[in-house]
Amino acid sequence: MAGGTAVVTGAGRGIGRAIAARLAQDGFTVLATDIDGAAAAETAALLGPGTTAATLDVTRRVDVAALLDGIDDLAVVVNNAGIAAGMQGVAEVSLAEWRRLFAVNVQGVFIVAQEGARRMEEGGRIVNIASRGYLGGAGMPHYVASKAAVVGLTRAMAVELRWAGITVNAVAPGMVDTRMLDGYPPEMRRAMEAREPSGAAADPAAIAAAVAFLASPGAAFINGQVILADGGKCIGVPPL
Amino acid sequence: MSAIILLGADRPFGAELATRLAHEGELATELPPTGAIEALVINVPVVREGTRFGEITDAQLQEALEAMVFDVVAAVQLALPRLTPGARIVAVAARGHLGAWGGAHLMAANAALAGFIRSIALELGERGIRANLLAPDFAGERWDTPKTRAEVAEAAAFLAAPGMALMNGQTLLLDGMRSMRLSESRRPQG
């Protein structure tokens, strides 16, 4: 049985909420955080006693540090908070949009992971949520690059933190049924789902299962890895 | 003679890249105001400095992203309307996307660049434009000799040359097998 506190960012909805639920079920004391504090509180209320919630903007280091200072048994950090991008070609995406996306998807992950690692003991687990998109995709170069950066950061962190007994891994989800899909017109969403091996977007719980495995005590020998949780869509596409 | 643009000529590998690429066409080391572009070579090598993960500052990460990602994107955007059908984009960075000890901010930026190259290869492939990443070892280390620098320049010329339409969106590792060796995994001294 797992124990200790697991902090999940972006836990107010979607994949983050599913991860919080799964880790609570697995025996962790879950702290559900989200930039939308009400949504995080809703997650905590759904999960029942023992789960707490906090408003957290992962790009604000002082807030991240203050929140983590209040935890004395930090066991797991799940960097799930991230923002999506609409379909735009390389010529159209402004540098301001690049920076906005990277601030959350890359710099936010860095801040929470670094502050988390400082407060973890041997056996600590960091799990970063990347995306199948890190392998490439036309029409959202900034999102692809930001998720590739998450994978690069995962590997670099793993190289160093293994000496402290902390593992750092990533889960790269494929198409998942969350509000991130709301940006797509219904016909486009149907076309996207038709290209999935399962014919549909996955339940967020399917991603939470992969995260829970990496966060579990038994996964201590798995480090610096990326689990592609995409129903097999990427088979044949080589890793970076 | 075709127009080749080399950006970052003042960085490590820059002199060798300039010498070698000049054999392939008319070379400019900054973007001229007009004219078609056959090849755009962006040199952003990684000089690994030993900053441990716990000590990296937000400013260092920001700086790495500006230099290796946002500046590269800006250069590609600027050149894009003038890239000829069949043009080549080559980024020269490092093997940092695989992860390495020290300088995680640089490795993250290097990985982002690899992702960017893959996505523009997919997007611009319709125009016959190719984009590839050259991943030599980190600049300024023991391996970095006139001979290996010449090999990096040779590989860049290969990626910048016309005709190799089948190679697109790739990261070409050019590190003398160092990333394959388990010695890379040992705890560094000090």
Side-chain angles (χ1 to χ4, degrees), chain A residues 61 89-91 93 98-99 107 110-111 114 118 135 137 141 144-145 148-149 152 155 157 159-160 162-163 238 240, chain B residues 52-54 56 58 61-62 65-66 69-70 73 77 80 98 101-102 104 108 111-112 115-116 118-119 122-123 185 187:
Chain A
R61 183 178 284 276
V90 60
V93 185
W98 272 86
R99 291 194 178 90
Q107 286 152 295
F110 167 69
I111 288 170
Q114 192 186 45
R118 284 175 182 159
L135 295 170
V144 168
R155 291 183 64 113
M157 285 193 291
V159 167
E160 293 192 42
R162 59 188 163 176
W163 304 110
L240 278 176
Chain B
R52 298 279 294 273
F53 178 68
I56 295 166
D58 293 338
L61 176 57
Q62 185 71 43
L65 293 173
E66 293 289 344
V69 186
F70 307 144
V73 172
Q77 285 182 332
L80 207 48
L98 298 172
W101 177 276
F116 174 62
R118 283 179 77 106
S119 61
L122 278 163
E123 183 185 329
S185 305
R187 186 202 297 259

Side-chain angles (χ1 to χ4, degrees), chain A residues 32-45:
Chain A
T33 77
D34 202 290
I35 194 166
D36 179 348
E42 202 179 288
T43 295

Side-chain angles (χ1 to χ4, degrees), chain B residues 40-53:
Chain B
L40 174 66
V41 180
I42 306 173
N43 181 37
V44 281
V46 175
V47 180
R48 176 164 60 171
E49 25 88 341
T51 315
R52 298 279 294 273
F53 178 68

Side-chain angles (χ1 to χ4, degrees), chain A:
Chain A
M1 194 70 172
T5 296
V7 174
V8 182
T9 66
R13 54 180 66 90
I15 294 174
R17 176 174 284 180
I19 292 168
R22 176 60 193 261
L23 294 181
Q25 188 188 318
D26 287 0
F28 292 102
T29 306
V30 172
L31 172 55
T33 77
D34 202 290
I35 194 166
D36 179 348
E42 202 179 288
T43 295
L46 278 169
L47 301 188
T51 301
T52 52
T55 307
L56 184 67
D57 177 347
V58 295
T59 67
R60 294 179 60 88
R61 183 178 284 276
V62 285
D63 294 353
V64 171
L67 183 71
L68 297 182
D69 274 343
I71 300 168
D72 56 12
D73 62 347
L74 185 62
V76 176
V77 167
V78 181
N79 277 302
N80 168 74
I83 51 179
M87 297 291 279
Q88 267 190 317
V90 60
E92 286 87 47
V93 185
S94 69
L95 285 181
E97 181 66 1
W98 272 86
R99 291 194 178 90
R100 186 183 77 89
L101 213 70
F102 270 64
V104 179
N105 293 4
V106 182
Q107 286 152 295
V109 169
F110 167 69
I111 288 170
V112 178
Q114 192 186 45
E115 294 293 341
R118 284 175 182 159
R119 293 163 178 81
M120 271 177 176
E121 293 181 354
E122 196 176 335
R125 301 269 188 276
I126 297 173
V127 183
N128 300 322
I129 305 302
S131 162
R132 170 176 75 199
Y134 96 91
L135 295 170
M140 46 172 71
H142 48 333
Y143 185 74
V144 168
S146 75
K147 292 302 188 179
V150 169
V151 172
L153 195 56
T154 298
R155 291 183 64 113
M157 285 193 291
V159 167
E160 293 192 42
L161 295 178
R162 59 188 163 176
W163 304 110
I166 296 169
T167 68
V168 188
N169 293 287
V171 174
M175 190 183 187
V176 183
D177 188 9
T178 72
R179 277 185 27 176
M180 263 199 191
L181 299 180
D182 288 356
Y184 300 107
E187 61 277 16
M188 186 172 176
R189 181 181 164 144
R190 277 194 294 277
M192 285 163 68
E193 289 197 292
R195 289 195 294 269
E196 294 295 311
S198 66
D203 186 317
I207 307 307
V211 174
F213 167 63
L214 293 172
S216 67
F221 216 44
I222 297 170
N223 205 357
Q225 303 304 303
V226 183
I227 294 183
L228 268 156
D230 75 339
K233 192 175 178 197
C234 278
I235 295 170
V237 178
L240 278 176

Side-chain angles (χ1 to χ4, degrees), chain B residues 89-112:
Chain B
I89 297 169
V90 182
V92 183
R95 62 175 171 101
H97 62 294
L98 298 172
W101 177 276
H105 55 308
L106 298 166
M107 309 312 152
N110 192 152

